């Protein structure tokens, strides 16, 4: 049974992701692809770009089996966190943004 507080519309999730992560990603040349739902995961955002002939991307997705579990994957590294409501979803996106700003974007500079 899903708690009522767990239900956040995809549109709200996308707005939060764009507000917290999208601006910096766009400044660095990333575009955000549309949402895609799989059987076990629901991709909330797929940020991708091509630079110096190389494709680069990082993904934010939700685990459909473990409700409230979301992950960021960047260059093979996966960061997991959880949310219960819109406020904790925002906190999770801030955690992902901090990771990308301090570690994630810099990893591509080294390759």
């Amino acid at each position: 049974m899903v708690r009522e507080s767990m239900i956040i519309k995809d549109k709200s999730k996308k707005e939060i992701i764009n507000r917290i992560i999208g601006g910096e990603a766009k400044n660095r040349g990333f575009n955000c692809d549309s949402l895609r739902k799989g059987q076990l995961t629901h991709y909330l955002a797929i940020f991708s770009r091509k630079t110096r002939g190389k494709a680069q991307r990082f993904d934010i997705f939700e685990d459909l089996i473990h409700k409230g579990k979301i992950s960021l994957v960047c260059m093979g590294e996966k960061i997991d966190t959880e949310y219960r409501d819109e406020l904790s979803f925002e906190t999770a996106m801030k955690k992902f943004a901090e990771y990308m700003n301090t570690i994630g974007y810099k990893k591509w500079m080294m390759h």
Side-chain angles (χ1 to χ4, degrees), residues 8-37:
I8 304 172
K9 290 185 172 69
D10 283 345
K11 185 176 186 229
S12 296
K13 290 176 185 174
K14 189 169 179 132
E15 287 169 359
I16 292 167
I17 292 168
N18 284 335
R19 180 166 40 84
I20 295 173
I21 297 173
E24 184 63 28
K26 189 174 183 176
N27 289 342
R28 294 173 183 267
F30 285 88
N31 294 311
C32 185
D33 296 335
S34 59
L35 305 176
R36 287 204 315 249
K37 212 170 213 164

Side-chain angles (χ1 to χ4, degrees), residues 1-3 6-7 13 37 39-40 42 62-70 81-84:
M1 183 84 184
V2 176
R3 290 188 315 271
M6 183 73 95
I7 299 169
K13 290 176 185 174
K37 212 170 213 164
Q39 289 186 335
L40 303 176
H42 178 191
E62 191 166 13
D63 187 319
L64 294 176
I65 295 173
H66 304 97
K67 292 287 182 200
K69 181 180 174 189
I70 48 178
T81 191
E82 294 185 355
Y83 74 94
R84 294 168 313 288

Side-chain angles (χ1 to χ4, degrees), residues 81-98:
T81 191
E82 294 185 355
Y83 74 94
R84 294 168 313 288
D85 51 26
E86 200 162 313
L87 185 62
S88 58
F89 186 84
E90 280 194 39
T91 301
M93 291 307 109
K94 288 175 184 172
K95 178 181 175 182
F96 291 166
E98 182 180 353

Side-chain angles (χ1 to χ4, degrees), residues 94-108:
K94 288 175 184 172
K95 178 181 175 182
F96 291 166
E98 182 180 353
Y99 172 83
M100 288 306 298
N101 291 331
T102 58
I103 298 168
Y105 295 123
K106 292 175 184 162
K107 284 181 158 192
W108 284 304

